[in-house]
Amino acid sequence: PNKLLEERSGELIEAAHRFGVANLKVEAEAAYVQSTAITAGNVVDNLHLADTKKCALLKEKVMDFLVENGAEVFAKISSFQKMPECSQTMFHDFLAA
């Protein structure tokens, strides 16, 4: 993907989801997944983005990160309480699996 697509991929995902532009959303999501490192510090935001914008690639990347780094993530997450309830439910479902 080009540099501009990578730099603006989060914004493009939001806009493409809002206006139903599926091809743009898929391209932007692929660029986002490729250019974004999931960390304990951003996993909650990325999970929320994946959940609310129906981003399957991103959700898979976040879940893979959680499987590999679960203990570290849960020890560091202080923003969990701020997570919207729908994403909290998904997070709990993940833990139960």
Side-chain angles (χ1 to χ4, degrees), residues 44-59:
V44 171
D45 292 335
N46 281 298
L47 179 62
H48 179 67
L49 177 64
D51 185 38
T52 59
K53 304 303 178 216
K54 312 283 188 257
C55 296
L57 292 173
L58 180 57
K59 183 177 179 181

Side-chain angles (χ1 to χ4, degrees), residues 13 21 44 69:
I13 289 169
V21 184
V44 171
N69 303 285

Side-chain angles (χ1 to χ4, degrees), residues 27-96:
E27 281 191 51
E29 182 183 359
Y32 187 86
V33 167
Q34 183 177 10
S35 65
T36 301
I38 305 298
T39 66
N42 71 15
V43 70
V44 171
D45 292 335
N46 281 298
L47 179 62
H48 179 67
L49 177 64
D51 185 38
T52 59
K53 304 303 178 216
K54 312 283 188 257
C55 296
L57 292 173
L58 180 57
K59 183 177 179 181
E60 181 178 347
K61 185 173 181 174
V62 169
M63 291 303 176
D64 288 347
F65 178 83
L66 288 171
V67 166
E68 294 174 15
N69 303 285
E72 173 193 354
V73 170
F74 299 117
K76 290 185 177 181
I77 291 180
S78 61
S79 58
F80 182 75
Q81 307 305 340
K82 299 175 189 172
M83 186 188 300
E85 189 173 328
C86 62
S87 295
Q88 284 185 17
T89 301
M90 188 169 73
F91 214 73
H92 283 293
D93 291 347
F94 168 76
L95 292 175

